[in-house]
């Protein structure tokens, strides 16, 4: 049996409460998801601004599909780069206040492309321990030396920067950490990068559209700008569609077009997605009420929870994790919530450190304060039940 190791590995994962299963949604709009004909109040989506099913985005996508067809047909460097992509890049550059922007098909690919194009064998990457997997994979693929420092530990980072003899230094960090919801101290990181002549790559997947008065992201939030910063963000989260981009100097964009392999050797995103994203940018900028609503909902959650054993992490972003601890218990709680018609994902190792399994509550501007109050109430009651230990599950 050449593949018997597969069954053994799967069994092992199941025994550890680590087996992952997918759910099939019949429909999902805004904050309601339907599975097996049952509707759930969902706190799973990264659609923070509630734009993924917005009529203006849908209309823009439909129109573009008629005009351009549904597929780009080729990579950007062959014949896949259409007017819709070009217009979106110009809009992203203007929106982020950077000279140029380059579109990638996904955030995962953008990170692989940026990092592998900028550093190699003689270089060193400095990375926060809680960075997104795509940044770690990018570092491994680049063959640069990868030095990870404890989460937000600036003193540890400085020590490592000071000791480095690398040709080029690249500091990489999530701007908003995807499983904790906390914000990286970007001004302090920038000071260190200046002191030790390092470049700073910011992955603003969860800040773009959300942070800053106009939703321009982490740089607007801190009111900073620097030629050292490479700004990258994804377009499948708050922007509600799909894709990613990097913004910076015109030379950076030109260089990545030459050297970023995940840019060069992949099909361009469908032009209809680019058209939907142009519409999305207008709404992100214009509808500030969506960001105000998110802050209001985070407050409703915090005020509504009366947890003793479990712990709501201190987060001011739409990512509001509740630490439960053991894998089995977080699965049992997630299942119990499902029984109440509420869907909150259980996040387990290796996505988060061992013993820190959690519910990852994602708030959306499409939620009502009543939705969030209902979730808080359900969690308060479930915590009081005897410590449940479910098995297996999702
Ligand atoms: C989601 C995410 C990515 C990957 O973006 P995709 O467009 O989904 O591939 C990269 N970095 C961070 C921090 C993310 O949260």
């Amino acid at each position: 049996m050449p593949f018997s190791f597969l069954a053994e590995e799967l069994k092992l994962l199941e025994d550890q409460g680590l087996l992952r299963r997918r759910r099939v949604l019949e429909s999902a709009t805004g904050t309601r998801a339907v599975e097996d004909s049952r509707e759930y109040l969902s706190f799973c989506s990264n659609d923070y601004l509630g734009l993924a099913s917005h009529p203006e985005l849908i209309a823009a996508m439909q129109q573009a599909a008629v005009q351009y067809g549904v597929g780009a047909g080729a990579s950007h460097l062959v014949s896949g780069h259409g007017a819709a992509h070009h217009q979106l890049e110009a809009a992203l550059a203007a929106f982020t206040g950077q000279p140029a922007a380059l579109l990638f098909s996904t955030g995962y690919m953008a990170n692989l492309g940026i990092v592998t194009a900028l550093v190699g064998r003689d270089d060193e990457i400095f990375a926060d321990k809680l960075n997104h997997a795509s940044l770690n994979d990018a570092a491994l693929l680049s063959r640069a030396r990868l030095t990870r420092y404890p989460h937000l530990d600036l003193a540890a980072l400085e020590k490592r920067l000071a000791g480095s003899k690398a040709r080029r230094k690249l500091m990489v960090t999530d701007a908003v950490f995807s499983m904790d919801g906390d914000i990286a101290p970007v001004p302090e990181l920038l000071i260190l990068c200046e002191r030790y002549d390092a470049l700073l790559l910011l992955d603003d997947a969860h800040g773009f559209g959300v942070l800053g008065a106009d939703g321009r992201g982490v740089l607007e939030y801190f009111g900073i700008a620097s030629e050292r910063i490479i700004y990258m963000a994804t377009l499948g989260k708050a922007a509600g569609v799909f894709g990613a981009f990097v913004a910076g100097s015109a030379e950076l964009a030109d260089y990545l077009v030459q050297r970023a392999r995940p840019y060069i050797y992949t099909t361009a995103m469908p032009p209809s997605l680019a058209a939907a994203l142009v519409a999305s940018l207008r709404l992100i900028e214009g509808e500030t009420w969506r960001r105000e609503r998110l802050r209001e909902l985070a407050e409703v959650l915090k005020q509504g929870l009366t947890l003793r054993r479990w712990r709501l992490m201190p987060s001011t972003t739409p990512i509001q994790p509740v630490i439960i601890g053991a894998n089995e218990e977080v699965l049992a709680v997630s299942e119990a919530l499902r029984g109440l018609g509420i869907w909150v994902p259980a996040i387990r190792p290796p996505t988060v450190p061992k013993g820190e399994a959690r519910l990852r509550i994602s708030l959306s501007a499409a939620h009502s304060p009543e939705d969030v109050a209902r979730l808080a109430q359900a969690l308060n009651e479930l915590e009081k039940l005897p410590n449940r230990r479910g098995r297996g599950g999702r």
Side-chain angles (χ1 to χ4, degrees):
M1 285 302 178
F3 288 109
S4 52
F5 69 96
L6 296 180
E8 286 160 23
E9 294 281 340
L10 287 169
K11 173 79 173 54
L12 205 63
L13 287 172
E14 178 150 32
D15 289 347
Q16 296 168 325
L18 290 176
L19 195 65
R20 287 139 197 263
R21 290 199 178 94
R22 300 172 302 170
R23 290 203 163 121
V24 183
L25 296 192
E26 284 144 37
S27 75
T29 49
T31 57
R32 301 300 190 274
V34 179
E35 182 198 33
D36 288 340
S37 311
R38 192 162 173 214
E39 188 183 271
Y40 295 90
L41 168 59
S42 164
F43 292 92
C44 303
S45 170
N46 300 316
D47 176 23
Y48 301 123
L49 297 179
L51 295 177
S53 46
H54 195 287
E56 283 181 37
L57 271 68
I58 295 171
M61 197 164 184
Q62 285 171 330
Q63 260 170 27
V66 172
Q67 190 176 349
Y68 299 101
V70 294
S75 66
H76 283 277
L77 286 179
V78 178
S79 64
H81 188 69
H85 302 110
H86 213 64
Q87 189 193 349
L88 174 59
E89 288 185 343
L92 286 166
F95 183 66
T96 55
Q98 302 282 340
L102 185 71
L103 198 55
F104 279 80
S105 290
T106 72
Y108 190 100
M109 293 163 72
N111 282 337
L112 293 193
I114 297 163
V115 173
T116 58
L118 292 178
V119 293
R121 274 186 207 287
D122 303 324
D123 306 323
E124 186 164 356
I125 294 171
F126 301 84
D128 190 290
K129 273 244 164 85
L130 296 191
N131 276 353
H132 191 261
S134 59
L135 289 170
N136 294 333
D137 293 359
L140 294 176
L141 192 60
S142 76
R143 296 187 171 94
R145 177 177 188 152
L146 173 58
T147 299
R148 298 171 79 200
Y149 57 90
H151 184 48
L152 305 185
D153 187 338
L154 295 176
L157 169 61
E158 174 152 26
K159 220 155 124 194
R160 291 171 173 120
L161 278 167
S164 174
K165 302 245 174 349
R167 176 186 65 160
R168 275 181 219 151
K169 305 185 190 91
L170 175 66
M171 176 46 242
V172 299
T173 184
D174 283 23
V176 175
F177 288 87
S178 52
M179 295 302 141
D180 293 53
D182 52 347
I183 302 173
V186 178
E188 287 79 7
L189 291 172
L190 183 58
I191 290 171
L192 287 182
C193 287
E194 278 162 358
R195 190 173 299 157
Y196 296 99
D197 193 23
L199 302 173
L200 177 57
L201 169 57
L202 297 175
D203 177 340
D204 204 18
H206 300 276
F208 183 76
V210 169
L211 294 181
D214 296 324
R216 292 177 219 280
V218 72
L219 296 178
E220 183 190 17
Y221 176 84
F222 284 115
I224 54 172
S226 163
E227 291 190 336
R228 244 169 229 290
I229 292 178
I230 303 150
Y231 180 82
M232 148 312 154
T234 65
L235 300 168
K237 289 168 179 154
V241 188
F242 191 74
F245 71 97
V246 55
S249 69
E251 291 77 37
L252 176 70
D254 284 347
Y255 182 77
L256 291 176
V257 168
Q258 316 307 314
R259 285 280 188 265
R261 295 167 65 86
Y263 181 81
I264 300 167
Y265 297 106
T266 203
T267 301
M269 73 159 60
S272 55
L273 301 190
L277 281 161
V278 171
S280 172
L281 279 186
R282 275 199 302 271
L283 293 172
I284 290 174
E285 192 170 15
E287 301 197 341
T288 47
W289 68 265
R290 292 177 188 273
R291 284 177 287 281
E292 283 155 19
R293 166 64 65 84
L294 279 172
R295 279 191 285 278
E296 179 196 342
L297 295 175
E299 202 49 39
V300 171
L301 182 68
K302 195 163 133 193
Q303 298 302 328
L305 287 175
T306 56
L307 300 177
R308 293 164 175 275
R309 234 164 16 94
W310 305 340
R311 182 169 61 89
L312 178 71
M313 292 189 77
S315 156
T316 55
T317 67
I319 302 168
Q320 296 281 324
V322 172
I323 303 283
I324 307 260
N327 296 342
E328 293 79 6
E329 192 178 8
V330 78
L331 286 174
V333 175
S334 182
E335 275 307 306
L337 283 171
R338 251 169 79 73
L340 299 171
I342 303 176
W343 189 350
V344 183
I347 309 286
R348 291 162 284 165
T351 311
V352 293
K354 271 200 182 116
E356 292 184 25
R358 66 196 66 182
L359 295 173
R360 180 180 183 273
I361 300 167
S362 287
L363 299 174
S364 164
H367 284 122
S368 69
E370 293 72 31
D371 289 339
V372 176
R374 185 178 149 205
L375 169 65
Q377 172 103 23
L379 284 171
N380 290 340
E381 278 163 24
L382 287 174
E383 195 203 31
K384 288 188 205 121
L385 296 178
N387 196 343
R388 307 152 136 271
R389 296 214 162 243
R391 262 183 46 88
R394 317 251 172 178

